[in-house]
Amino acid sequence: MKFLNKVGDYAKEAVQAAKYIGQGLSVTFDHMRRRPITVQYPYEKLIPSERFRGRIHFEFDKCISCEVCVRVCPINLPVVDWEFNPQIKKKELKSYSIDFGVCIFCGNCVEYCPTNCLSMTEEYDLSTYDRHELNFDSVALGRLPTKVTEDPFVTPIRELAYLPKGVMDGHEVSHTERRAGQTPEEIIEANMN
Ligand code: SF4
Ligand code: SF4
């Protein structure tokens, strides 16, 4: 009788263990059919959405040194260095800089600049070993922005903006499902034309 009880307990435990293993494997198999959400940076990069607020681009020749960008900036960040030229009775811009180690990328300066000489690019690779290198002068700010879709060494990856309309969780989306925005291939093709 005692032996039979032991066999019964053993069988119950074996069934319980099999149940737990089954539960664990069901999670594993479920993940196998999901899209990976990790990005193999820097070989793969996310394509920023259309209104992404990245590194600011500045056009020196268009700036009238009005300092509106400084006044609307929550931390008065842009440094506008100008001199008054009495001959032409106008301010002359000497240098302009923004420290991206401090900037919060709110976009106020871009929005309020009266001559539209500031714009937000889709550049987000701003890491450096020395934070002082993030203080961009007018030359660095004037460099044309790079694009993820134009870099031959990078595989562009979709992000939230490219999921089907109304979907926020990329886990449940299959590769074949139609996206709301353009696919990376379509964006590359559009850029090349
Ligand atoms: S983006 Fe915002 S924080 Fe950065 S410089 Fe412009 S106004 Fe200032
Ligand atoms: S708001 Fe525009 S034009 Fe005025 S100082 Fe700033 S960047 Fe120059």
Side-chain angles (χ1 to χ4, degrees):
M1 195 62 187
K2 213 172 169 186
F3 173 73
L4 283 178
N5 281 344
K6 271 190 178 175
V7 171
D9 289 345
Y10 181 77
K12 267 188 208 163
E13 278 172 26
V15 169
Q16 201 69 17
K19 202 173 133 195
Y20 288 142
I21 290 171
Q23 279 174 349
L25 281 176
S26 70
V27 174
T28 307
F29 289 133
D30 192 34
H31 275 268
M32 279 170 73
R33 64 178 181 82
R34 292 179 182 185
R35 293 191 322 139
I37 58 166
T38 45
V39 175
Q40 302 301 312
Y41 184 90
Y43 310 108
E44 296 175 343
K45 287 183 186 175
L46 290 174
I47 301 174
S49 49
E50 278 173 32
R51 299 178 67 188
F52 182 79
R53 298 203 291 250
R55 195 264 296 174
I56 293 168
H57 178 255
F58 172 68
E59 290 173 73
F60 193 95
D61 296 338
K62 279 164 84 176
C63 179
I64 54 172
S65 311
C66 64
E67 295 190 44
V68 165
C69 52
V70 186
R71 273 178 273 139
V72 296
C73 175
I75 40 181
N76 296 352
L77 186 60
V79 178
V80 189
D81 184 16
W82 54 267
E83 261 179 23
F84 186 74
N85 185 336
Q87 274 152 4
I88 54 170
K89 294 190 177 144
K90 275 186 181 168
K91 291 174 178 174
E92 261 183 7
L93 184 64
K94 295 288 165 200
S95 67
Y96 187 95
S97 64
I98 295 178
D99 188 346
F100 291 116
V102 187
C103 176
I104 56 169
F105 300 91
C106 64
N108 272 4
C109 53
V110 175
E111 196 160 321
Y112 288 97
C113 173
T115 60
N116 287 334
C117 60
L118 296 169
S119 55
M120 305 216 86
T121 70
E122 54 182 67
E123 261 181 44
Y124 54 86
D125 304 86
L126 288 171
S127 49
T128 56
Y129 286 107
D130 179 356
R131 67 189 169 89
H132 298 106
E133 287 173 20
L134 290 172
N135 193 358
F136 279 33
D137 63 8
S138 47
V139 176
L141 287 169
R143 180 177 54 74
L144 286 176
T146 55
K147 281 189 169 186
V148 168
T149 46
E150 286 172 1
D151 188 340
F153 300 106
V154 167
T155 307
I157 302 287
R158 299 177 180 98
E159 54 127 34
L160 276 181
Y162 302 95
L163 292 175
K165 203 170 177 198
V167 176
M168 292 301 287
D169 185 359
H171 277 121
E172 308 301 331
V173 182
S174 89
H175 275 291
T176 50
E177 202 161 334
R178 180 65 205 167
R179 313 282 152 157
Q182 291 176 307
T183 62
E185 294 77 23
E186 286 165 343
I187 291 171
I188 291 168
E189 205 178 310
N191 281 339
M192 285 171 74
N193 294 332

